[in-house]
């Protein structure tokens, strides 16, 4: 099964209304960055044990670790959780930036260092969320130039 099929299956597996929200959010991010690399992580480790919620990823970056190793990973991720949806913006280094820039404007969402968590799309301003996602893509592109 390819990545697009895995993403479709993951979204379809969600109960409504989360399923529709995930589908709409997935479509909106793809419209924002139509040529970005897609990822799907099933949340399982090498021993097939569940270690996290499955994630849909967008974009590409190389993460460098202190020990000199690197890892290829996505820039933006979305995941269903027990209370709603989480959007991960992994390319912004200032861990106060999202909360300062978008926290007051986004609506009913919890905004932390790299995560925006909300119950449903109807509870937030989608344009503000997409502005934060765009910031994540642009922050990575500026880092590479």
């Amino acid at each position: 099964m390819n990545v697009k099929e895995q993403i479709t299956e993951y979204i379809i597996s969600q109960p409504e209304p989360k399923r529709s929200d995930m589908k709409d959010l997935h479509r909106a991010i793809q419209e924002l960055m139509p040529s970005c690399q897609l990822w799907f992580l099933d949340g399982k480790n090498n021993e097939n044990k569940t270690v996290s919620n499955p994630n849909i990823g967008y974009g590409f970056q190389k993460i460098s670790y202190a020990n000199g190793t690197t890892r290829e990973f996505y820039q933006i991720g979305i995941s269903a959780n027990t209370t709603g949806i989480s959007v991960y913006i992994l390319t912004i280094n200032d861990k106060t930036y999202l909360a300062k820039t978008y926290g007051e404007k986004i609506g009913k969402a919890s905004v932390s260092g790299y995560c925006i968590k909300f119950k449903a799309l109807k509870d937030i301003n989608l344009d503000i969320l997409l502005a934060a996602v765009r910031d994540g893509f642009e922050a990575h592109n500026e880092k590479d130039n």
Side-chain angles (χ1 to χ4, degrees):
M1 187 176 332
N2 68 37
V3 171
K4 286 184 180 183
E5 291 169 337
Q6 290 175 303
I7 290 170
T8 299
E9 277 203 11
Y10 173 58
I11 292 172
I12 288 172
S13 75
Q14 301 304 312
E16 284 295 354
K18 195 182 301 184
R19 176 185 318 142
S20 293
D21 284 353
M22 292 279 293
K23 193 164 116 182
D24 292 346
L25 184 56
H26 177 62
R27 184 181 318 112
I29 293 172
Q30 286 194 289
E31 286 173 4
L32 189 65
M33 298 299 300
S35 61
C36 74
Q37 180 175 335
L38 289 175
W39 300 66
F40 182 75
L41 300 170
D42 65 5
K44 298 184 190 283
N45 67 9
N46 295 343
E47 299 163 4
N48 208 32
K49 291 183 182 173
T50 300
V51 294
S52 71
N53 291 328
N55 284 266
I56 301 169
Y58 308 86
F60 177 86
Q61 67 173 323
K62 266 195 181 171
I63 299 172
S64 298
Y65 294 101
N67 67 3
T69 61
T70 60
R71 175 181 178 199
E72 295 177 347
F73 208 59
Y74 53 79
Q75 296 166 269
I76 309 295
I78 65 172
S79 180
N81 59 55
T82 54
T83 59
I85 299 171
S86 296
V87 177
Y88 304 98
I89 301 175
L90 304 175
T91 53
I92 296 176
N93 291 328
D94 178 352
K95 297 304 176 198
T96 64
Y97 179 80
L98 285 177
K100 284 191 299 191
T101 308
Y102 301 106
E104 302 253 331
K105 300 182 253 179
I106 199 159
K108 287 198 233 171
S110 163
V111 183
S112 66
Y114 64 91
C115 181
I116 299 171
K117 192 184 303 186
F118 51 92
K119 184 171 180 160
L121 281 179
K122 69 178 176 53
D123 297 331
I124 63 161
N125 183 323
L126 182 59
D127 290 336
I128 298 297
L129 177 64
L130 293 176
V133 168
R134 188 178 306 108
D135 263 5
F137 281 118
E138 289 172 0
H140 175 69
N141 292 337
E142 288 170 9
K143 207 170 22 173
D144 283 351
N145 293 332

